[in-house]
Amino acid sequence: MKLVDFRNLLGFSMLLRVFLIVYGEWQDTHMEVRYTDVDYMVFSDAAALMASGESPYKRTTYRYAPLLAFLLIPNSIFHRSWGKFLFSASDLLVGLFIRIILKQRKVPEKICTYSVMVWLLNPFTFTIGTRGNCEPIVCAMILWIIISLMRGNLSQAAFWYGLVVHFRVYPIIYALPIILVLDSQIFRSGQKPPLEDWNTGQAKTPTSNTENKIFHLNLLTALKSLFSRERIRFGLISGGVFLACNAVSFYFYGHEFLHEALLYHLTRTDPRHNFSIYFYHIYLHYERQFSAVEKLISFLPQFTVQFALVFSFSQDLVFCIFLQTVAFVAFNKVITAQYFVWFYCLLPLILPWSRMKLKWEGLLCIILWIGAQTHWLLWGYMLEFKGYNVFLQLWIASLVFLAANTFVLVKIIQRHRFSPLFKRYESSAVKNVTKLE
Amino acid sequence: MGSANSYKCSISGAGTRPETDSEEELPKQMGIQRPRSVTPLIFICFAISCLDSTSSAQIGTNYGDSDEILNSDHIPASFLCISDQYIMQSYSTTHTSLEDSEFRNFLFLQECSRKDTDIVVPAISLLQQHRNITGEGSHRTLHTSIKLLVQSDSHLRELVIVERLPLGVFADPFELQNLKQRRAFRDVSVFGDTNLELPSFRSNRSVVEIHVDISSRDYENGEITLKLPLHARYQPLEESGYSRVEFGEPDLFLCSSHVQNRQREQRKCMVLSIGGLKTETRSVVWEIPAGIRDHTEYVSAITFAAAVLSAFSILVASVLSSKVESCKNSKKS
């Protein structure tokens, strides 16, 4: 079968999204069940408030940066679907960025196209933007950060990183691996860093030592090189952008902005049922406050996993942030389906380096993961739409979902061909390489 | 002069939750129906003898039903003069409780002075026929049918229904605004605790005030049907696993139309009913699933054990994978 080329794929994806947006408008008007996400109504209302000079936080449950409401002001001026077109365009941009990243790493065309299809033709992906969810914008920004780093545009990467953390707090978890990959032995600002391409490691003959060594971080070395010029520059620019955006938002919207857009996400504990294993535990304890010790203990598994992944895989930056995102979502106190987009956009970037075959290991992972979700949704339906007390069963379903996430994550780790994003510079790499014993 | 109002309420299902996509369409069943006959055959007895504490008000008598008398407590004898668009608007800013006594006291303070009241009490017949809650799960609809006959030349053309919701349920203001845009009712607003996310033990009660135009062409035979979509909050922990939420009766007023842009002009409202006697047969009840306290210890223990086990699995896989890669590369070199 002749593989579809990228232009046709992108064109088809564009038409599909336009159709879904138009269909969504029709369904909203003519059917009881709306196609549009409730969150989109929240964004639009907030944008309308902003357009009339008021605070977007007057809209209950608007918990995003003012920037999002600003982007959707045309909803009130042109057409209410403006935001959906914007989000879907971001979604297509993610597909383009996936291709750029893979092409820069010299992934063969066929594998490239299959990987892009995993994003563009994923039903979850093309419905999320067309229903009015803003996550594709975040995904596009993160991929652009990766592209900027790959091109050696450190300042640009730092700018977008500061902005994306202001927009959506969760990318803060990528700070450590990004900082670690800005090792002066690897990354020199002003120069395009040499990339480790897909062909490295595919070849049957061993390549040179300096190109093929995987270096675990020697703690002492890491500490010494921690304050390299590149790292300080990245930290200052991204931190500056983050603080500037927050300062401007605070100037206009005060404590409402701080609480709703930032603190809420950092302290959120929702007793209502969701995919997280913690929801029932939180509900059963909601009548009393958790102590500081209890909060710390509950955060330990997340903390441990994040650090383990960073220190094991930071050099393979894309793989590292993919694993971090899956783990972050799986161990979070609240899990909603929209969070899955955060790692869906990174999955195509790691597939070319996976030894996992679709038949049958890949299919097993897909079936287990989707099956665990479906199992949870069935119990959720019984609780929410039938009114049966199935809290215990629903909580067990959350445990099963965590088990499925863990299984899939472990399998992906085991089947991944570790490939650092950047090559070390040979001249200094030989002197400073630390081998594992 | 004191025959009963019968309230029958029905709640129909498939209400919408703020986080879901379903939505209730009410317009067809929400209309007011115009009386066929203009002859004022039935008169409500506003037997309010005096304004002293021993007076009792009987409003909305109905000769057709044998239900017991509602609302035997104090009610303002004359018209209320309301400056705001909503009766509950100023109440919600000055009061935190939604108890009957406090609400009645508030209404007394809204009474018009004699010089402001230059209208005649129209002939009104009020009969509330049906009240029920229908649907399943966390999203249901409170269904109320009211039969109201008003003297045709009366200037009081707006029926105001004040639904003081019990703790444990809430109405989504945005959903109601959407229904208003679909002309399900003339006006609607929610007062009190409008937080959509908090559980009931961290929230307060809320009030929904609905305005229905009884002069519209949808009003036939004096019958008004209201469907109010409601959503359940997370309930306090219960041994049985279910929490019981009981609904009282709505408060009913008949008002003149609100004239916008003339803020000094006050609306005249006549009290038809404040609350009502709740009996076993008339009480509308919604049983909502609640967490079971006995689950607490082992749910917490197993949750943490599962988190630790998963974290450990990922940690081991990460470390082993790193070691395997480094061994491979050591061999190659």
Side-chain angles (χ1 to χ4, degrees):
Chain A
M1 184 181 77
K2 186 182 175 185
L3 194 63
V4 173
D5 73 6
F6 178 70
R7 278 190 184 180
N8 291 339
L9 178 62
L10 199 63
F12 171 76
S13 301
M14 192 185 311
L15 288 173
L16 176 64
R17 282 147 177 82
V18 169
F19 168 76
L20 286 173
I21 292 171
V22 172
Y23 168 76
E25 290 295 308
W26 178 87
Q27 180 169 329
D28 288 354
T29 311
H30 294 89
M31 294 173 72
E32 277 197 33
V33 177
R34 296 173 66 95
Y35 181 82
T36 303
D37 197 319
V38 167
D39 274 350
Y40 189 72
M41 303 302 172
V42 176
F43 305 155
S44 298
D45 292 344
L49 285 165
M50 187 185 262
S52 58
E54 297 184 64
S55 167
Y57 298 103
K58 281 189 176 176
R59 187 11 169 132
T60 317
T61 70
Y62 181 75
R63 299 208 172 89
Y64 299 86
L67 180 60
L68 177 61
F70 179 77
L71 290 174
L72 261 61
I73 283 176
N75 272 19
S76 312
I77 301 169
F78 301 130
H79 192 272
R80 60 177 177 265
S81 295
W82 157 263
K84 291 182 184 179
F85 281 101
L86 182 65
F87 302 150
S88 297
S90 304
D91 166 11
L92 293 171
L93 211 55
V94 168
L96 179 64
F97 289 167
I98 289 170
R99 180 177 169 80
I100 291 173
I101 290 170
L102 295 179
K103 277 297 180 191
Q104 287 204 335
R105 298 190 75 186
K106 303 208 175 31
V107 173
E109 180 68 28
K110 189 177 173 182
I111 298 176
C112 222
T113 305
Y114 278 132
S115 299
V116 171
M117 284 166 75
V118 167
W119 171 260
L120 288 178
L121 300 183
N122 183 339
F124 189 89
T125 305
F126 58 68
T127 52
I128 205 163
T130 55
R131 291 186 66 216
N133 193 289
C134 68
E135 302 297 346
I137 291 185
V138 182
C139 295
M141 289 164 78
I142 288 170
L143 263 60
W144 183 249
I145 291 166
I146 295 172
I147 292 172
S148 299
L149 287 172
M150 288 168 72
R151 290 176 177 172
N153 296 330
L154 192 63
S155 299
Q156 196 173 143
F159 171 83
W160 286 101
Y161 185 69
L163 188 62
V164 82
V165 176
H166 162 76
F167 194 81
R168 215 68 171 102
V169 181
Y170 87 88
I172 193 69
I173 63 173
Y174 306 149
L176 189 55
I178 291 176
I179 288 291
L180 289 175
V181 93
L182 297 179
D183 186 340
S184 53
Q185 304 307 321
I186 297 170
F187 198 99
R188 289 178 186 168
S189 57
Q191 296 180 30
K192 185 176 174 182
L195 299 174
E196 189 91 16
D197 61 39
W198 184 81
N199 292 313
T200 309
Q202 295 289 332
K204 293 179 182 176
T205 53
T207 51
S208 72
N209 293 344
T210 54
E211 289 175 358
N212 258 345
K213 283 185 171 42
I214 309 291
F215 301 106
H216 278 257
L217 289 171
N218 177 287
L219 189 59
L220 191 61
T221 310
L223 283 171
K224 281 181 182 174
S225 62
L226 191 61
F227 298 102
S228 68
R229 190 186 307 172
E230 292 77 23
R231 286 170 175 160
I232 291 173
R233 194 161 138 227
F234 186 91
L236 285 176
I237 294 174
S238 59
V241 169
F242 175 74
L243 288 173
C245 291
N246 286 344
V248 169
S249 302
F250 183 77
Y251 174 77
F252 284 106
Y253 305 113
H255 289 283
E256 262 188 323
F257 154 71
L258 272 183
H259 183 263
E260 299 291 342
L262 288 180
L263 296 177
Y264 171 81
H265 297 290
L266 294 175
T267 58
R268 181 181 183 184
T269 52
D270 200 333
R272 293 173 298 170
H273 56 284
N274 60 86
F275 289 112
S276 173
I277 60 170
Y278 294 104
F279 92 86
Y280 198 24
H281 162 75
I282 291 169
Y283 177 28
L284 292 170
H285 289 86
Y286 212 73
E287 287 175 344
R288 68 167 184 84
Q289 296 286 344
F290 285 114
S291 66
V293 173
E294 283 171 325
K295 285 180 184 174
L296 188 64
I297 290 172
S298 65
F299 188 61
L300 273 178
Q302 175 78 278
F303 192 79
T304 308
V305 167
Q306 291 296 318
F307 267 85
L309 292 173
V310 168
F311 283 107
S312 299
F313 304 112
S314 62
Q315 299 309 305
D316 191 344
L317 180 65
V318 178
F319 184 62
C320 181
I321 66 175
F322 169 80
L323 294 178
Q324 278 188 274
T325 313
V326 175
F328 180 76
V329 172
F331 286 93
N332 206 23
K333 297 280 170 33
V334 178
I335 304 173
T336 63
Q338 71 181 77
Y339 296 173
F340 300 156
V341 188
W342 298 348
F343 53 77
Y344 278 167
C345 66
L346 299 169
L347 178 64
L349 299 176
I350 65 150
L351 285 178
W353 283 268
S354 181
R355 291 185 286 260
M356 190 186 295
K357 303 285 181 202
L358 188 63
K359 292 181 181 179
W360 294 98
E361 206 170 16
L363 271 177
L364 176 67
C365 288
I366 292 169
I367 289 167
L368 275 177
W369 195 76
I370 292 176
Q373 264 189 70
T374 308
H375 173 239
W376 187 97
L377 288 169
L378 284 172
W379 289 113
Y381 175 80
M382 297 297 281
L383 173 67
E384 187 172 338
F385 295 100
K386 289 296 182 183
Y388 299 128
N389 187 322
V390 292
F391 281 109
L392 205 62
Q393 294 90 325
L394 193 56
W395 165 70
I396 292 171
S398 301
L399 295 176
V400 171
F401 186 57
L402 177 65
N405 273 295
T406 305
F407 176 83
V408 171
L409 208 57
V410 167
K411 278 293 169 195
I412 288 175
I413 290 172
Q414 288 174 344
R415 294 290 178 263
H416 182 72
R417 180 168 57 85
F418 186 90
S419 177
L421 186 59
F422 303 112
K423 292 181 186 177
R424 283 187 173 265
Y425 283 92
E426 288 193 19
S427 56
S428 54
V430 175
K431 292 178 187 175
N432 293 302
V433 157
T434 303
K435 291 185 186 181
L436 271 185
E437 292 183 354
Chain B
M1 299 283 270
S3 54
N5 287 327
S6 63
Y7 285 109
K8 298 179 193 176
C9 301
S10 66
I11 298 181
S12 57
T16 60
R17 183 184 185 184
E19 288 82 17
T20 62
D21 293 333
S22 61
E23 189 135 5
E24 180 85 356
E25 283 195 23
L26 303 182
K28 289 181 182 176
Q29 297 191 32
M30 287 291 296
I32 309 165
Q33 297 171 321
R34 195 171 276 131
R36 289 179 183 168
S37 169
V38 297
T39 307
L41 296 176
I42 301 171
F43 298 88
I44 291 178
C45 294
F46 283 93
I48 304 167
S49 56
C50 58
L51 292 175
D52 65 22
S53 59
T54 60
S55 67
S56 64
Q58 309 278 343
I59 295 179
T61 57
N62 172 27
Y63 294 112
D65 278 339
S66 58
D67 287 352
E68 55 196 78
I69 296 167
L70 288 174
N71 200 18
S72 58
D73 211 333
H74 308 300
I75 303 176
S78 58
F79 288 93
L80 308 179
C81 282
I82 307 294
S83 305
D84 301 315
Q85 186 178 354
Y86 303 100
I87 293 172
M88 294 302 297
Q89 197 162 335
S90 59
Y91 182 88
S92 63
T93 57
T94 55
H95 295 76
T96 53
S97 166
L98 291 171
E99 297 303 318
D100 281 358
S101 55
E102 200 163 329
F103 188 50
R104 289 198 185 92
N105 290 339
F106 163 77
L107 292 177
F108 269 115
L109 295 173
Q110 310 306 309
E111 274 191 281
C112 301
S113 60
R114 290 199 177 192
K115 61 181 178 183
D116 290 332
T117 312
D118 54 357
I119 52 175
V120 177
V121 176
I124 299 172
S125 168
L126 174 65
L127 167 67
Q128 191 174 14
Q129 295 179 324
H130 191 62
R131 188 159 162 92
N132 192 16
I133 190 159
T134 59
E136 295 178 307
S138 303
H139 318 291
R140 302 194 186 188
T141 306
L142 180 62
H143 199 159
T144 306
S145 280
I146 301 167
K147 189 148 188 174
L148 176 69
L149 293 171
V150 182
Q151 189 173 337
S152 59
D153 57 351
S154 168
H155 74 294
L156 302 177
R157 306 310 297 173
E158 196 166 87
L159 178 66
V160 175
I161 302 102
V162 174
E163 198 70 64
R164 285 178 280 157
L165 298 176
L167 201 60
V169 299
F170 66 94
D172 181 357
F174 302 100
E175 182 182 17
L176 295 180
Q177 286 304 315
N178 193 42
L179 292 173
K180 178 188 166 184
Q181 286 166 9
R182 292 170 182 242
R183 303 181 184 278
F185 18 69
R186 184 177 182 155
D187 206 352
V188 64
S189 190
V190 184
F191 301 93
D193 194 338
T194 55
N195 188 303
L196 309 177
E197 298 171 323
L198 288 176
S200 67
F201 42 89
R202 291 271 182 96
S203 58
N204 295 307
R205 290 176 68 184
S206 58
V207 184
V208 181
E209 183 170 326
I210 303 170
H211 295 196
V212 175
D213 186 358
I214 63 172
S215 59
S216 78
R217 61 182 177 182
D218 293 325
Y219 179 56
E220 292 180 7
N221 294 324
E223 190 162 339
I224 303 160
T225 305
L226 297 176
K227 283 185 181 179
L228 180 62
L230 297 174
H231 311 280
R233 293 188 185 279
Y234 260 52
Q235 301 299 303
L237 304 182
E238 294 281 350
E239 299 300 325
S240 65
Y242 289 89
S243 180
R244 196 179 157 86
V245 173
E246 283 191 41
F247 290 82
E249 305 298 336
D251 308 317
L252 302 175
F253 304 84
L254 196 63
C255 298
S256 55
S257 299
H258 176 69
V259 180
Q260 297 208 358
N261 302 322
R262 294 178 66 177
Q263 293 175 4
R264 290 183 179 267
E265 182 172 314
Q266 294 180 318
R267 307 172 69 188
K268 304 295 189 292
C269 288
M270 176 186 289
V271 179
L272 301 181
S273 173
I274 301 297
L277 294 177
K278 283 191 287 188
T279 65
E280 204 57 45
T281 54
R282 199 181 296 141
S283 216
V284 176
V285 173
W286 182 354
E287 296 225 335
I288 303 171
I292 297 173
R293 202 178 297 278
D294 289 344
H295 292 169
T296 305
E297 285 185 11
Y298 68 80
V299 164
S300 299
I302 295 173
T303 297
F304 283 114
V308 167
L309 189 62
S310 293
F312 184 72
S313 305
I314 295 167
L315 175 67
V316 167
S318 302
V319 170
L320 284 178
S321 176
S322 304
K323 285 194 180 298
V324 164
E325 287 292 340
S326 68
C327 285
K328 279 184 190 172
N329 287 287
S330 297
K331 283 180 185 172
K332 283 181 184 173
S333 64

